[in-house]
Amino acid sequence: MTLVKFNGPFLVPKEHHKSMKDDPFFFCKSTTISTLSWNPDPNAIALCQDEPTIKREIEEVLNRILPPMIWEEDGDIWRQVVSSEPATRADIIYLHQELDHRLTIRQARAEGICHIRRDLYGQAFDELIRQVTTSCPERGLLLLRVRDEARMTTNSYQALNDASSAFGNTKRPGQDIQRRLMRKLERISSERLKLERDFRILQEELELVYRNFDEQKLADDKRHFEQVQFLKRANQLLRQKFEGLVKTKIDSVE
């Protein structure tokens, strides 16, 4: 369902089926025709009795700007043309409310690239073109050119965004490798810090062992020195005692 106002659908007579299928606008719902021109008969503008001719030409312009919707159902061909009735203030209010309602229902994004929002605003702009064309076909054709230029600019930005995304995808493998290397570097750095911490702990324990060894060695050396001195004194006393006994023995023999 579109925001553009269409007349009710009608059944196409079977004798017209072939000619409609040969129509390039068959089964088309929209087209872009920026080179349309409307050249009404000046006499038709000047004479009120030629108003049906002007209305017919307006309908022709509308059908070119907003082609009829044609579809086939159960072997029958249905056709629905855009309305050529001028818009009222109530139509404008309804269009505004319906646009806001559909933006909410279809959950269109409020900013950034959103195909839903773009489609709904495009339908609303087409309806505005229809409303303007019913009163002034030249103004409607000018708005058609504005619409086509805006679409072309949007498509260019879309193509640029797609190209940027594709370029980003080509760089992604390198970025993945870089992230893996960064994670590996962080892991190695963490392991290095842990090894440095363990090294400091082991170094402190080794220094404590050396210090205890030095203290134990000093104590052992001191004890050994005292034992040696004690043995030397004991040996000196025994020698003196032995010499005294020998001297006494000699004196008794004489």
Side-chain angles (χ1 to χ4, degrees):
M1 188 175 180
T2 177
L3 293 174
V4 181
K5 186 177 181 180
F6 280 81
N7 293 328
F10 61 90
L11 185 64
V12 178
K14 292 186 179 297
E15 57 268 19
H16 295 161
H17 283 195
K18 185 179 185 304
S19 60
M20 291 194 66
K21 289 183 178 181
D22 294 336
D23 189 348
F25 296 108
F26 185 69
F27 289 128
C28 292
K29 295 185 179 180
S30 62
T31 188
T32 300
I33 307 176
S34 299
T35 57
L36 288 175
S37 60
W38 185 66
N39 299 313
D41 186 359
N43 295 326
I45 300 177
L47 299 177
C48 295
Q49 60 269 24
D50 290 336
E51 183 176 352
T53 303
I54 298 178
K55 183 176 181 180
R56 186 170 60 254
E57 292 178 347
I58 289 176
E59 290 177 352
E60 181 181 352
V61 173
L62 281 174
N63 289 335
R64 289 292 177 175
I65 294 177
L66 301 168
M69 293 190 296
I70 305 173
W71 67 95
E72 187 173 359
E73 184 177 348
D74 297 332
D76 296 326
I77 295 181
W78 294 83
R79 189 170 189 264
Q80 189 175 15
V81 298
V82 68
S83 175
S84 60
E85 294 297 326
T88 63
R89 184 172 182 271
D91 293 333
I92 302 296
I93 295 175
Y94 174 78
L95 177 63
H96 189 185
Q97 294 175 348
E98 187 67 14
L99 175 61
D100 291 339
H101 176 69
R102 295 192 185 187
L103 287 172
T104 303
I105 292 299
R106 298 180 61 180
Q107 298 180 351
R109 296 174 56 185
E111 56 186 27
I113 296 177
C114 178
H115 297 289
I116 296 176
R117 188 181 74 245
R118 179 182 175 184
D119 177 59
L120 291 175
Y121 273 100
Q123 294 177 19
F125 195 73
D126 286 343
E127 171 61 15
L128 292 177
I129 292 176
R130 185 201 69 81
Q131 296 175 5
V132 171
T133 305
T134 56
S135 60
C136 181
E138 293 89 345
R139 192 178 301 152
L141 293 173
L142 183 59
L143 285 177
L144 177 65
R145 294 182 59 184
V146 173
R147 183 198 71 178
D148 293 342
E149 178 64 26
R151 286 182 178 178
M152 184 173 63
T153 302
T154 303
N155 291 336
S156 299
Y157 283 128
Q158 183 66 48
L160 181 61
N161 179 72
D162 294 341
S164 301
S165 300
F167 179 73
N169 292 333
T170 58
K171 293 184 63 178
R172 185 168 300 171
Q175 294 176 350
D176 293 340
I177 294 175
Q178 183 179 5
R179 283 195 292 269
R180 287 199 299 270
L181 292 176
M182 290 299 296
R183 288 195 295 268
K184 185 176 181 180
L185 178 61
E186 292 175 357
R187 186 174 65 255
I188 293 175
S189 299
S190 177
E191 292 176 357
R192 180 181 62 85
L193 293 176
K194 181 177 180 302
L195 292 175
E196 289 179 350
R197 184 169 58 254
D198 294 342
F199 173 76
R200 287 194 297 269
I201 294 174
L202 292 175
Q203 192 174 27
E204 292 176 356
E205 292 178 354
L206 181 62
E207 291 176 355
L208 179 61
V209 170
Y210 282 156
R211 187 165 55 252
N212 292 337
F213 176 78
D214 292 338
E215 293 176 355
Q216 185 66 33
K217 184 175 181 299
L218 290 174
D220 293 342
D221 290 343
K222 182 178 180 181
R223 185 171 59 255
H224 180 264
F225 177 78
E226 291 177 350
Q227 290 177 355
V228 170
Q229 294 299 323
F230 173 77
L231 292 174
K232 285 181 176 181
R233 287 195 298 271
N235 184 47
Q236 183 69 23
L237 291 174
L238 290 173
R239 178 178 293 180
Q240 291 177 358
K241 186 176 181 180
F242 177 74
E243 291 177 352
L245 291 174
V246 170
K247 184 178 181 182
T248 304
K249 188 71 175 175
I250 293 173
D251 294 337
S252 63
V253 172
E254 293 177 352

